[in-house]
Amino acid sequence: MKKTSLWFWFFIVAFMIFLIAPGQTVRASDDDIITIGYSGPLSGGAAKFGLNIQWGLELAADEINALGGASVGGKKYKVRVVSMDDRFQAALTVNNAKRLVQKEGAKMVYNPNSGAIFALMAINEKEKFIIGAYTTTQAVVTSGNKLLFKGPLPMQAYVHAFTEKAWAHGWRTCAMMPDAYEYGKIWSGIFQKAWQAKGGTITTNIPVDFMKTTDYYPLLTKALATKPDVLLLGSSSEPDAIQIRQARELGYKGGFILIERGKLDEIQVFVDNMETLNGCIGSTPLGMTPREHVKKFAEKFHKKYGADKPLATELGISYANALIYVGAMVVAGTTTDVYKIINAMLNKTKDVLALPFVKNNDPYGYTGAFPNGALKAKTFGIEVANGKYTKSFVIDTPDAIYTAKE
């Protein structure tokens, strides 16, 4: 009996050693870890978009942890990402955020849905957590929230650049099919004003609930009946691809303006050939931009998630944003005081961007920040003609556009 008891305890001890062995996923104590919270669409029509953002955050955590962690106030911290699915529903986002902050210890919650971000802005200052806003919606940084930063560029920059390119093609009539959510409403509203200010005509506006719709033929039939020169599409990469393909099947020969959430390299995967995408105007795929560190980032991404995965722009933005967030903790000297962290990010940005793990890895090329929470970078647009991508063009983003009211 005694021998059996000894063997029993031997196996118990061996099992516990196995659980905490290097390479196992374990949770460190709250004193030793920085938690990045993420609430995003991990199911439904925007799942690919949401997963890309999650992967970018995870790669940033991997990068910092491979260096032994982040040194904050003389102490080393490992980084982890805790993700929750919100299916693009603001109510779920708020519930997720409360759990991430109260149960998981996150001091920042990252989210890519402008409607949900507005909902989070109603509680984050009281709950004392930072919002990492993945949105081009300018209103999130002009409302006075003091615990928020925004990674992507303002949508006004994309609207202006894409309108100019469409106008150069001689397109004067546009049928809008934006997403049916807050983001699509704001984007299409700004676009409509810009288009009409140039003398163009909006032939129809048909919001698309891409989280529930898979057959777009009825909506496209209505839009194409108005004889537009160009369609404005604004769902996400896979739904946009389906709409483009079905529009071609219905005989449409015109162009497409893609709200920047739709990525041409991802859309390309879902169509038969590049000729289907002729006349598309959109943001340049990350891998085709002339930014430093893109190649290195691509190698890391493909090694972990597969060589067949497109290098989507949201990967690079969320990755860089997570590096900058942790860098702000380093500069602030705290992992818990959210006001000192956001102050370091927005007012000591040069120090944050100069940190080696930020400076040597950022694939999006951030150059600064504004007190309202907007991070500054240069981005690019591209077109498809004759079955090929054209040369990228710079999307003009003067400083005034980062602080302008919508």
Side-chain angles (χ1 to χ4, degrees), residues 26-85:
V26 296
R27 177 172 177 178
S29 70
D30 289 340
D31 291 337
D32 299 318
I33 198 161
I34 295 167
T35 297
I36 294 175
Y38 172 54
S39 179
L42 301 176
S43 62
K48 177 60 178 169
F49 172 69
L51 190 58
N52 280 336
I53 292 174
Q54 176 182 301
W55 287 345
L57 298 174
E58 290 173 348
L59 283 169
D62 290 348
E63 184 67 44
I64 295 168
N65 292 339
L67 298 172
S71 182
V72 183
K75 183 177 178 179
K76 285 285 190 178
Y77 293 83
K78 291 297 182 74
V79 181
R80 70 169 184 153
V81 177
V82 179
S83 300
M84 299 184 72
D85 184 15

Side-chain angles (χ1 to χ4, degrees), residues 323-324 326-331 349-361:
L323 293 178
I324 291 170
V326 176
M329 289 182 165
V330 173
V331 171
T349 316
K350 289 184 178 179
D351 295 337
V352 174
L353 297 179
L355 293 169
F357 69 80
V358 180
K359 179 181 178 181
N360 298 332
N361 292 291

